[in-house]
Amino acid sequence: MATTLVTGCAGFIGSQLSLRLLRRGDHVVGIDNMNAYYDVGLKEARLDRLRDHPAFTFERIDVAASEPLHVAFTAAQPDAVAHLAAQAGVRHSLEHPEAYVSSNLQGFANVLEACRAHPVKHLVYASSSSVYGTNERQPFSEHDNVDHPISLYAASKKSNELMAHAYSHLFGLPTTGLRFFTVYGPWGRPDMAMFLFTRAMLAGEPIRLFNRGDMERDWTYIDDIVEGIVRVLDRPAQPDPSWSPADPDPASSRAPYRLYNIGSQSPADLELVVGLLERNLGVKARRELLPMQPGDVASTCADVSDLERDVGYRPTTRLEDGVRSFVRWYLEYYGRPDSRP
């Protein structure tokens, strides 16, 4: 039985990944600090789905705290690590930059050190489509330069990629960064657009559309994200024999280091998403059109050809099907406002 250590195991992606790994027979050691960035009750409910499995072990640890993290690694001796713990959110980083320094920078440094001290076969970590920053050429490719982030959150994720490369180069630690594109689906984060729209529509409140609604995203269903992570976990990064310092490829290296996008490669504008929510909820949305938020971008679209080439997978869930599944879960979990006691 392989042992996989998953940080952020009570989070949206981390909990779904942990469940998938348990179902295939892995022993999963889950780590989470259970912070109050959003509803802790939702995080507990996600954990409850994992605690029924005898192969699941939970440790309440903040990755920014080095000593308890090393203790957990010593006890678990993981074969692989999926590092999904992070302070998320572009907008939150405008008001609370210290949280990103602590969790995304110090926390990632601690994870790298733990992987070096307790050698693992592969470290897979969450990066983000936000690293593409001011890039305008689409679809976004891992081979493009991403040296101009426009939010601290994006800068922290770009920093993670650089830190991972240093450890891959110095210590031979296989690392793979996954740039996720607008993840949505059941058990999602309450601070993300689809969740916010649904909550507002059911409450009879207006939904807030930034850039006056002129935005599109590469919406990626949670099951597709998890499938991509699992396939990458099982394929440790290898040195790229064709890598050249004369023409350096940002996506690979002479070290065991890789970067991949995981996105649907089928961007949809906000109006299409709102329309699908209206259809599935049976509620008409009221719209509040607002200017663009600092740190945000108008459009994202992933090039996933490298992921498909190397691990034989690309996301396949249609937006219509994904929105239907999300709404079904939301109504089962929260109910409609008029059905609550």
Side-chain angles (χ1 to χ4, degrees):
M1 179 186 292
T3 297
T4 304
L5 188 146
V6 179
T7 70
C9 68
F12 176 26
I13 300 173
S15 62
Q16 301 279 54
L17 173 64
S18 297
L19 194 60
R20 168 67 187 280
L21 293 172
L22 289 165
R23 286 172 174 168
R24 80 167 188 176
D26 284 21
H27 175 217
V28 174
V29 176
I31 288 175
D32 203 292
N33 68 357
M34 303 298 288
N35 70 35
Y37 170 61
Y38 62 82
D39 180 19
V40 176
L42 177 58
K43 297 180 182 182
E44 289 286 358
R46 293 174 183 148
L47 272 183
D48 286 343
R49 303 171 74 217
L50 304 175
R51 289 185 171 119
D52 291 338
H53 291 262
F56 178 72
T57 304
F58 175 65
E59 300 286 346
R60 185 164 183 167
I61 294 172
D62 189 335
V63 293
S66 176
E67 185 175 346
L69 188 65
H70 278 272
V71 171
F73 268 75
T74 300
Q77 293 297 307
D79 299 290
V81 173
H83 176 54
L84 302 172
Q87 178 58 60
V90 169
R91 292 164 191 162
H92 189 69
S93 70
L94 300 176
E95 299 176 359
H96 301 280
E98 71 286 350
Y100 295 77
V101 173
S102 174
S103 182
N104 298 8
L105 299 180
Q106 184 61 61
F108 190 60
N110 290 343
V111 168
L112 287 168
E113 272 295 292
C115 288
R116 180 175 76 89
H118 309 274
V120 301
K121 297 175 183 176
H122 197 190
L123 166 62
V124 175
Y125 61 95
S127 186
S128 167
S129 61
S130 67
V131 301
Y132 288 102
T134 57
N135 285 28
E136 294 184 351
R137 183 171 63 179
Q138 293 196 20
F140 293 146
S141 169
E142 305 95 328
H143 306 284
D144 291 339
N145 180 284
V146 290
D147 286 343
H148 297 86
I150 58 173
S151 71
L152 183 62
Y153 172 68
S156 73
K157 289 301 184 178
K158 167 65 174 176
S159 299
N160 288 172
E161 296 177 357
L162 296 173
M163 294 161 73
H165 183 268
Y167 272 69
S168 294
H169 173 78
L170 291 169
F171 309 116
L173 173 65
T175 67
T176 301
L178 301 178
R179 294 172 176 172
F180 300 143
F181 281 69
T182 314
V183 190
Y184 75 99
W187 299 96
R189 279 199 352 245
D191 64 323
M192 298 189 74
M194 200 172 293
F195 207 114
L196 292 169
F197 292 168
T198 299
R199 176 177 289 166
M201 289 166 66
L202 289 173
E205 299 169 353
I207 61 173
R208 305 173 76 199
L209 300 179
F210 294 100
N211 203 33
R212 304 189 65 79
D214 185 18
M215 300 180 75
E216 64 177 10
R217 288 290 181 268
D218 202 335
W219 307 88
T220 313
Y221 190 62
I222 181 61
D223 290 1
D224 290 331
I225 291 287
V226 168
E227 180 65 26
I229 297 172
V230 170
R231 294 202 186 201
V232 169
L233 264 174
D234 292 343
R235 187 182 183 277
Q238 302 293 324
D240 180 359
S242 66
W243 193 88
S244 168
D247 185 21
D249 178 5
S252 66
S253 174
R254 286 176 174 169
Y257 169 87
R258 284 291 190 278
L259 295 172
Y260 294 109
N261 291 331
I262 303 185
S264 68
Q265 201 167 320
S266 300
D269 61 38
L270 290 182
E271 275 300 325
L272 175 58
V273 172
V274 173
L276 290 171
L277 289 172
E278 289 176 326
R279 184 187 313 165
N280 283 278
L281 290 167
V283 174
K284 189 69 176 176
R286 293 164 48 212
R287 295 156 174 78
E288 181 182 1
L289 303 181
L290 299 169
M292 180 72 88
Q293 286 267 101
D296 215 342
V297 297
S299 177
T300 64
C301 178
D303 180 343
V304 295
S305 56
D306 282 11
L307 182 74
E308 186 172 23
R309 178 197 68 207
D310 291 348
V311 303
Y313 182 72
R314 65 185 298 144
T316 59
T317 303
R318 297 188 318 143
L319 184 62
E320 293 83 354
D321 297 330
V323 171
R324 185 183 310 114
S325 294
F326 167 72
V327 169
R328 184 185 305 119
W329 167 80
Y330 187 98
L331 294 177
E332 288 175 355
Y333 186 81
Y334 290 101
R336 292 183 181 269
D338 57 2
S339 68
R340 297 173 190 171

